[in-house]
Amino acid sequence: METPILEMKSITKEFPGVKALDNVTFSVRTGEIHCLVGENGAGKSTLMKVLSGVHPYGTYDGEIIVEGELQKFNNIRESENAGIAIIYQELALIPELSVYENIFLGNELTNGMVIDSNESIQQAVEILKKVGLDVNPLTKVKNLGVGKQQLIEIAKALKKDVKILILDEPTAALNETDSDNLLHLIQGLKAQGVTCILISHKLREVLAIADTITVLRDGKTVVTLDAHKDLVNEPVLIKHMVGRSIDNVYPKREKLPIGKETLRLEDWSAFSYALGRDILKNINLNVHAGEIVAIAGLMGSGRTELAKSIFGNPDRYRVSGKAFINGVEQKFRDPGEAIKASLAYVTEDRKGNGLILIDDVKHNITLANLKEITEGGVINENEEILVANKYRTQLNIKTPSIQQKVRNLSGGNQQKVSLGKWLFVNPGILILDEPTRGIDVGAKYEIYTLMNALVQQGMSILMISSELPEILGMADRIYVMSAGKINGEMPAEVATQEAIMELAVDY
Amino acid sequence: MEESKQTTSTTDRFRSLLDIVKMNISDYFMFFALVVIMIFFTITTDGVFISSRNISNLINQMGYIAVLAVGMTLIIVIRHIELSVGYLAGFLGAFAAIAMTFWGWPVFAVIPAVMVLGMLAGMLTATPVAKLGVPAFVSTMAAGLIYRGALLLVTMGTGTIVIRDPIFNAIGNGFIPDLPFLSGFLPGRHKLTLIFGLIAIIWYIISAIRGRKTKQSYNFAVPNTGLFILQLVIISALIGYIAWILSGYNGISWSLVILLLVVLVFQFITTKTPLGRHIYAVGGNPEAAELSGISVSKITYIVFGAMGLLSSLSGIMYASRLRSATTTAGLGFETDAIAAAFVGGVSAAGGVGTIIGSIIGALVMMSLTSGMNLMGIDISIQYIVRGLVLVLAVVFDRITRRNR
């Protein structure tokens, strides 16, 4: 038996009031792709932060052994020097700097005191080859897509002598093509002898690529499986992750006859001043009461822009065309007017523009509809508590109290707060933008069940999603967008992943 | 089984109490620091610091900065800064002096006119910020230069303009009248001040009991009776003590009346109304606020307008206190107001900071000045001490907040 490249023994890490990691043991063999899966809050990211020195030696119990040597990392630099590089879910590039400047950021190549640009650019070209990225190193990072930015992050990590590369949800923000590229790259790195640890919620990816899979649940190691010997498939992994088996990932809904038309767009186009081009072109679509309509499409196809342009156009696109809400033409000047007309929009980026992270659960839930709990100009804080508790119970939001700051909740629970906030508006049309991105399987199921219940009550749901199984599992009707246009429409019964993809990549 | 459940709930309750104390430590800390500072100066000055006369003076000196600190808190809460308020206050003070002295306007027309002017000035400064996203730092610095020039321009011919209106001058120097028919009772004390103190205590106790009863009617947990009574006693005693000290000199000053009104109105708006919630939401996450139907630009106008209004009050209070408009009026007010807000716990990252906190911040800074003056400490050392206190307060705030 060879020595593992990495052993983490009996790691325990406590935060005030929470045991994030409880006696976790984690062992990685040299040259393998080791996937770490688990629900949100299971401790995956914390474990990697312990490994990379974000949580320094002394703040946790247990031992980290790299290539047989006990390591006591005090910061990220020390772990980097030991050959461990970590790439976070949120990209850490400087948009205004060029590709090569980003790659060498913090480790600039110098001639004495001056940066040696020529040498840097030359080396950058070599490093970019390693990740199979063909871009001019002088391009500013902001001009590249998310997929390419992700590759630059990896290139940045690879410029040093990396032995263990940790990727935390690298494909969360990527479309299928970019995801596939990234997975190929990881396999290529493995061939070059780099050991990879991959954290992912996308089990299909994990199954496609992993040599070994470790499942964490509630801060404990549940199981470590050998992907080549043990029986591993999605149901098995899900069972380990949640501790129970979910027979039906997508809850069945009794199909009711659809109601009247609630939303219709006619020749809806939008021009973005910021980008200097048309982002939506002659879109025609409709949604009915009691219906879940999905918008499929690749990243950048204009789905979120479509949602925002309907929802009061906060980004100030130049919009043309007609929008009818419940049969009446509307020209909203801001999201406030859209909300008044019974629209609600749960954003794709709950941390960025969905929630007030530094505020508590109850204030976030009531924010969009304060007038409901205001009497004589004064907010009735007791009513507010009742409202917040109602949604906490109804949506099963796991929080110590409604006074808890939202930033302390896990992703799935934050998403539920976001949903609660918009349900309190009592909308007729609910726009959900990536409703289950980055949240765990259990919470996903709860959200799907809720969506079904809402349309049963006659609400209209317009769902934007990048996950094809989710679209096929939940929607009644599917529009596929590409390059700002609707490329096709199909009922869910006849739709297949292949059919949707074909339309989505057809420019 | 039943028993173990019982134990958990007791430990939970204990833990939640500890959590509440921990969560709010930075909120209460400055108040304790203020008490410590006051006790320190009382000891080092043999009680002169806490004397009625000194406290009364301290409050009158603090007034024109404290009203600015209230507005500045909201400005910083919505992630901006206002560097023009000092010069705006100075200019509006001079405007008031000119209107009364040269144009012969009556004082009761001058004050509202100046306040409206202040509000408009604030909103004008906000326009590039709200409409085009120009950094408030630049927009307000430019406005400050303009007001400074305007102040010099209007006082160029005359230099200092002396104000002779007794009503106007009472704002910064006068006190509320006493009840003449009670002159035999408690000699040397300002009776109306004591009566107001008593009214404040009664009003506080009634509203606290009412709030508690409403909470109970909703079946919400309330602090136990013992704790509740303790809280009532401490706060009542505090109000009573302040009223007692003030009654020992000339009673409540008009400056204090204005300050209390400002604090009451802004405290009410920020904590009880949708507008207040919207202000904190815009500070906490402007994009999320916009998508929740809150107009960020409208909130920006309102907050800068309020700041302008408070600048006009500050200018009136200062001109009245000096009984004149000078060419240097308002110099450095913005720095003092910003310092008070930060000492009081406002965060430059936005969304955090309270009106009461900033008033405590202003009291801390003014107590330092007053106490060190009484001790005869040189102005050079005073600046250094105040600088150190500012940075320590912010560092402490940073450390306690990080753990949340």
Side-chain angles (χ1 to χ4, degrees):
Chain A
M1 185 95 187
E2 51 173 334
T3 1
I5 189 166
L6 167 71
E7 276 185 284
M8 299 180 79
K9 288 184 180 165
S10 310
I11 304 286
T12 297
K13 166 82 191 165
E14 288 186 56
F15 294 109
V18 193
K19 210 173 214 181
L21 295 174
D22 185 3
N23 205 17
V24 169
T25 296
F26 182 60
S27 172
V28 181
R29 283 172 300 163
T30 311
E32 72 168 346
I33 298 175
H34 196 128
C35 289
L36 195 52
V37 298
E39 290 192 300
N40 279 346
K44 304 172 304 253
S45 295
T46 310
L47 187 66
M48 291 304 107
K49 283 180 178 167
V50 166
L51 174 58
S52 62
V54 174
H55 298 310
Y57 179 75
T59 62
Y60 60 88
D61 294 327
E63 290 181 343
I64 298 175
I65 297 162
V66 179
E67 296 184 304
E69 271 181 55
L70 181 65
Q71 297 286 358
K72 299 173 179 179
F73 301 131
N74 288 309
N75 51 47
I76 301 179
R77 194 157 281 243
E78 289 184 16
S79 69
E80 276 179 0
N81 290 339
I84 298 171
I86 184 161
I87 292 165
Y88 295 102
Q89 193 175 345
E90 286 88 13
L91 297 176
L93 299 171
I94 316 283
E96 286 294 332
L97 292 183
S98 68
V99 170
Y100 88 88
E101 285 169 320
N102 267 292
I103 288 177
F104 288 99
L105 194 66
N107 299 286
E108 285 78 6
L109 302 178
T110 53
N111 271 332
M113 286 182 57
V114 185
I115 290 178
D116 187 342
S117 310
N118 293 330
E119 178 65 25
S120 306
I121 293 166
Q122 217 163 24
Q123 289 197 21
V125 173
E126 289 305 309
I127 296 165
L128 289 172
K129 266 188 204 152
K130 274 198 209 174
V131 297
L133 187 58
D134 182 24
V135 294
N136 185 342
L138 294 170
T139 318
K140 281 189 179 178
V141 162
K142 67 171 180 185
N143 296 329
L144 299 175
V146 192
K148 286 181 176 170
Q149 291 190 10
Q150 186 71 268
L151 294 178
I152 290 168
E153 279 275 12
I154 295 174
K156 195 176 160 182
L158 289 180
K159 75 170 182 293
K160 286 199 195 153
D161 190 16
V162 173
K163 292 176 193 141
I164 305 173
L165 181 66
I166 305 163
L167 301 116
D168 191 350
E169 295 270 3
T171 60
L174 302 188
N175 60 36
E176 304 238 345
T177 323
D178 286 343
S179 296
D180 286 346
N181 280 340
L182 187 70
L183 297 179
H184 278 133
L185 172 66
I186 293 172
Q187 280 165 327
L189 292 174
K190 175 188 166 186
Q192 291 170 34
V194 179
T195 309
C196 288
I197 301 172
L198 177 72
I199 299 178
S200 180
H201 276 125
K202 299 187 179 169
L203 299 183
R204 207 161 26 86
E205 277 174 22
V206 169
L207 291 169
I209 194 175
D211 296 308
T212 311
I213 302 168
T214 293
V215 183
L216 291 184
R217 189 205 311 155
D218 302 331
K220 298 190 182 84
T221 318
V222 177
V223 68
T224 297
L225 300 165
D226 186 325
H228 305 298
K229 289 181 195 152
D230 301 320
L231 171 75
V232 286
N233 53 34
E234 285 197 36
V236 167
L237 288 181
I238 290 174
K239 201 172 158 208
H240 283 306
M241 283 162 68
V242 298
R244 65 196 139 90
S245 65
I246 292 184
D247 299 320
N248 233 333
V249 182
Y250 303 101
K252 283 280 168 284
R253 165 161 49 100
E254 197 191 323
K255 305 271 170 170
L256 297 170
I258 58 166
K260 62 181 175 53
E261 187 182 74
T262 50
L263 170 70
R264 183 167 90 246
L265 297 181
E266 288 179 1
D267 289 328
W268 189 256
S269 302
F271 174 85
S272 162
Y273 294 99
L275 299 174
R277 62 182 168 83
D278 290 318
I279 45 172
L280 301 173
K281 293 164 203 155
N282 297 319
I283 287 183
N284 290 287
L285 66 74
N286 58 61
V287 185
H288 296 84
E291 196 183 27
I292 298 179
V293 173
I295 299 186
L298 300 174
M299 190 78 54
S301 60
R303 299 167 307 167
T304 296
E305 290 79 359
L306 173 63
K308 282 189 165 180
S309 71
I310 301 170
F311 191 68
N313 192 15
D315 293 342
R316 302 276 173 263
Y317 308 131
R318 191 180 66 215
V319 173
S320 63
K322 289 180 177 175
F324 296 87
I325 309 293
N326 297 318
V328 182
E329 188 181 355
Q330 298 278 6
K331 291 182 187 311
F332 302 131
R333 280 168 300 177
D334 55 45
E337 293 187 350
I339 293 168
K340 278 196 195 104
S342 87
L343 263 71
Y345 172 51
V346 179
T347 65
E348 114 193 90
D349 179 8
R350 55 182 170 263
K351 288 184 178 171
N353 58 17
L355 297 166
I356 315 256
L357 294 178
I358 58 166
D359 211 340
D360 62 23
V361 173
K362 68 176 154 64
H363 286 182
N364 270 287
I365 286 180
T366 57
L367 184 64
N369 195 15
L370 281 172
K371 66 175 185 329
E372 186 75 24
I373 50 164
T374 302
E375 295 157 19
V378 180
I379 295 171
N380 184 335
E381 289 176 56
N382 295 314
E383 287 295 333
E384 178 169 45
I385 292 170
L386 291 182
V387 167
N389 271 326
K390 181 184 135 197
Y391 287 106
R392 178 193 182 183
T393 315
Q394 186 188 336
L395 304 177
N396 190 22
I397 301 172
K398 293 192 192 80
T399 172
S401 82
I402 52 169
Q403 273 84 13
Q404 184 69 240
K405 299 246 189 292
V406 169
R407 71 158 172 229
N408 296 333
L409 303 187
S410 72
N413 285 307
Q414 288 181 350
Q415 186 68 2
K416 288 178 185 174
V417 172
S418 203
L419 275 166
K421 163 181 169 176
W422 289 108
L423 291 184
F424 181 49
V425 173
N426 196 16
I429 305 164
L430 180 64
I431 306 173
L432 299 172
D433 198 346
E434 302 282 6
T436 63
R437 172 183 290 172
I439 70 177
D440 60 70
V441 178
K444 271 187 184 179
Y445 188 81
E446 287 175 309
I447 287 174
Y448 295 143
T449 310
L450 175 74
M451 285 167 65
N452 282 345
L454 292 172
V455 290
Q456 295 277 13
Q457 292 161 25
M459 200 181 276
S460 304
I461 292 182
L462 184 63
M463 176 179 79
I464 295 169
S465 176
S466 292
E467 291 190 34
L468 295 177
E470 174 173 282
I471 288 177
L472 293 173
M474 292 302 298
D476 296 304
R477 208 147 47 86
I478 301 159
Y479 288 101
V480 185
M481 279 187 78
S482 169
K485 297 190 300 285
I486 298 270
N487 252 6
E489 178 193 351
M490 57 185 95
E493 299 89 68
V494 303
T496 62
Q497 301 201 28
E498 291 75 18
I500 295 175
M501 252 358 243
E502 248 171 55
L503 288 171
V505 297
D506 177 23
Y507 278 76
Chain B
M1 191 66 198
E2 197 54 39
E3 203 180 48
S4 74
K5 211 172 174 183
Q6 192 63 39
T7 350
T8 2
S9 87
T10 321
T11 45
D12 276 0
R13 202 173 295 161
F14 180 66
R15 182 181 277 170
S16 71
L17 193 68
L18 271 182
D19 281 351
I20 288 169
V21 173
K22 255 190 220 160
M23 294 268 283
N24 297 316
I25 187 159
S26 58
D27 296 349
Y28 296 128
F29 178 77
M30 260 305 130
F31 182 72
F32 291 126
L34 175 64
V35 172
V36 169
I37 288 169
M38 291 186 133
I39 292 174
F40 173 79
F41 284 127
T42 303
I43 293 168
T44 55
T45 60
D46 290 329
V48 177
F49 179 83
I50 206 73
S51 69
S52 297
R53 188 193 168 91
N54 190 57
I55 293 297
S56 182
N57 258 325
L58 189 153
I59 288 171
N60 285 359
Q61 279 167 17
M62 180 185 93
Y64 52 86
I65 296 300
V67 292
L68 287 180
V70 167
M72 194 62 78
T73 305
L74 300 188
I75 294 273
I76 300 173
V77 161
I78 63 164
R79 306 184 173 191
H80 291 307
I81 195 80
E82 232 301 5
L83 300 175
S84 74
V85 293
Y87 294 122
L88 179 59
F91 170 69
L92 291 175
F95 180 88
I98 290 168
M100 282 183 296
T101 314
F102 300 140
W103 304 343
W105 288 19
V107 65
F108 291 109
V110 168
I111 291 172
V114 168
M115 285 167 70
V116 169
L117 212 57
M119 202 168 72
L120 293 177
M123 290 167 81
L124 192 65
T125 312
T127 303
V129 182
K131 288 290 162 204
L132 298 169
V134 171
F137 190 92
V138 178
S139 179
T140 63
M141 189 160 72
L145 290 172
I146 294 167
Y147 299 138
R148 181 169 203 193
L151 172 62
L152 291 175
L153 200 65
V154 296
T155 54
M156 192 150 55
T158 52
T160 299
I161 304 164
V162 177
I163 300 170
R164 300 190 196 285
D165 189 299
I167 298 173
F168 189 85
N169 286 340
I171 293 170
N173 302 292
F175 296 84
I176 61 170
D178 201 358
L179 302 171
F181 52 86
L182 279 177
S183 53
F185 176 67
L186 278 176
R189 290 277 157 191
H190 192 273
K191 262 71 71 180
L192 193 56
T193 299
L194 290 176
I195 290 169
F196 279 147
L198 198 64
I199 292 172
I201 290 171
I202 293 168
W203 178 72
Y204 165 70
I205 290 176
I206 290 175
S207 58
I209 291 174
R210 238 191 229 158
R212 185 182 159 88
K213 280 217 174 112
T214 320
K215 267 204 175 332
Q216 278 168 334
S217 75
Y218 276 90
N219 282 325
F220 294 158
V222 289
N224 70 44
T225 321
L227 267 175
F228 180 66
I229 292 175
L230 187 71
Q231 181 198 339
L232 287 186
V233 169
I234 290 177
I235 302 218
S236 302
L238 202 65
I239 300 173
Y241 183 63
I242 294 168
W244 181 253
I245 287 189
L246 291 175
S247 76
Y249 188 53
N250 286 326
I252 299 173
S253 65
W254 288 113
S255 283
L256 182 57
V257 171
I258 294 174
L259 179 57
L260 286 178
L261 281 177
V262 165
V263 169
L264 272 178
V265 169
F266 278 81
Q267 174 72 8
F268 175 78
I269 290 172
T270 52
T271 59
K272 300 282 177 205
T273 68
L275 173 61
R277 220 35 106 54
H278 291 172
I279 291 171
Y280 284 91
V282 166
N285 187 341
E287 287 175 65
E290 186 80 44
L291 285 172
S292 303
I294 300 165
S295 163
V296 174
S297 75
K298 191 174 116 194
I299 295 293
T300 308
Y301 274 117
I302 290 173
V303 169
F304 275 82
M307 179 82 257
L309 182 83
L310 292 170
S311 304
S312 72
L313 279 183
S314 173
I316 290 169
M317 288 162 91
Y318 188 69
S320 161
R321 185 154 179 81
L322 297 188
R323 297 187 172 86
S324 60
T326 65
T327 51
T328 56
L331 197 71
F333 283 13
E334 67 282 356
T335 322
D336 288 346
I338 292 166
F342 276 113
V343 169
V346 64
S347 158
V352 176
T354 62
I355 303 300
I356 301 291
S358 298
I359 292 296
I360 290 175
L363 269 170
V364 165
M365 296 310 268
M366 195 46 76
S367 297
L368 288 174
T369 309
S370 165
M372 288 190 290
N373 275 338
L374 289 175
M375 286 172 71
I377 292 173
D378 190 75
I379 187 79
S380 54
I381 305 296
Q382 289 197 20
Y383 276 121
I384 293 170
V385 170
R386 282 163 60 196
L388 287 174
V389 167
L390 172 59
V391 76
L392 281 178
V394 177
V395 165
F396 177 82
D397 199 58
R398 213 52 219 164
I399 292 168
T400 51
R401 264 180 224 288
R402 195 187 302 156
N403 297 330
R404 291 202 211 162

